[in-house]
Amino acid sequence: MAEQTLEQQIDALAELIVKSRRIVVFTGAGISTESGIPDFRSPGGVWSRFDPNEFTYQQFLHTEEGRKRHWQLLKQMGEMMAVTEPNPAHDAIAELEKLGKLDCVITQNVDGMHQRAGNSEDRVIQLHGNITRVYCMRCDKRYPMDEILEWLRQGTEVPLCVECRGILKPEVIFFGEAMPVWETREAEQRARNCDLCIVVGSSLVVYPAAFMPMYALQSGAKLAIINQGATDMDGMAHVRIYGKGGEVLSQVMPRVREQLR
Ligand code: NAD
């Protein structure tokens, strides 16, 4: 079969969206790079500046040095996320909700961009948590990340709870940490029940999150992947578009609108 042109792929995705009623969008760090937040694995990504082996939950929990390192990275990411805005890819997914097409977004991201773009809180399943909130691991007191960032700016290296001196941790799932039970179960159920799964900006190598598109496929849904780099599921996708999420979806959505009119 002849390779499809980009135009044909964009038409094919628009057609899939128009025909679908329960779309699950699965997103990874790549959807937020057009907002200026680097992903982990691309050249210039976070792992080209930090060593991934030094960022595990166990190191955070058991060593002061590990916590210091984590907070250096969290400070950089938190500062960046505070000043960045959703991009056209986030906007397109918010529009899918307004059009009544979206069942939910399952995201690996911790940046809260889907909600900021207009998706309802109850339609965004955050598999790896949210960086805007911090909690005490001993007494569970909650803090906004903005407050902790201010402490870090003033020289604190490892923030501790003001009430009990317990370890403070952002509400994000670190590598090596157990996945949140409700979110993981809910995401699997929604993925198994959708009629179209659209992956945007994920290398699909972080498990168990990357099982979600697989569950969708196994249950008979169509699969579309928009990602710059290769993924292990490329061969299984009904539509595979190599490109930037924002650029691609900005071309897809006018065609969807047109056909729904
Ligand atoms: P990843 O870094 O493994 O992969 C990102 C993928 O996105 C790559 O394959 C890359 O080719 C692609 N990509 C980059 N820019 C793109 C664009 N504009 N359009 C389309 N594709 C693009 O990320 P991952 O698979 O999401 O896994 C890393 C883990 O780190 C996840 O848990 C993720 O949530 C977390 N993380 C989150 C953020 C965030 O919240 N913004 C940022 C960095 C990492």
Side-chain angles (χ1 to χ4, degrees), residues 25 75 97 103 129 142 146 199 252 259:
V25 180
K75 179 168 181 280
E97 180 176 336
D103 182 72
R142 306 276 150 161
D146 284 347
V199 174
V252 170
Q259 290 180 54

Side-chain angles (χ1 to χ4, degrees), residues 28-30 33-34 40-41 108 110-111 128 202-203 227-229 243 245:
T33 57
E34 286 165 273
F40 278 173
R41 291 182 176 75
Q108 302 173 84
V110 296
D111 56 25
H128 296 160
S202 176
S203 55
N227 199 59
Q228 276 189 312

Side-chain angles (χ1 to χ4, degrees), residues 28-34 37-42 46 77 81 108-111 128 175 201-206 226-230 243-245:
I31 194 174
S32 293
T33 57
E34 286 165 273
I37 304 169
D39 62 18
F40 278 173
R41 291 182 176 75
S42 295
V46 173
M77 294 194 74
M81 288 175 189
Q108 302 173 84
N109 292 347
V110 296
D111 56 25
H128 296 160
F175 290 104
S202 176
S203 55
L204 297 179
V205 297
V206 178
I226 306 168
N227 199 59
Q228 276 189 312
K244 294 188 175 180

Side-chain angles (χ1 to χ4, degrees), residues 122-135:
D122 63 358
R123 285 194 191 262
V124 182
I125 302 176
Q126 300 174 118
L127 286 177
H128 296 160
N130 190 311
I131 202 169
T132 60
R133 298 186 295 261
V134 175
Y135 71 102

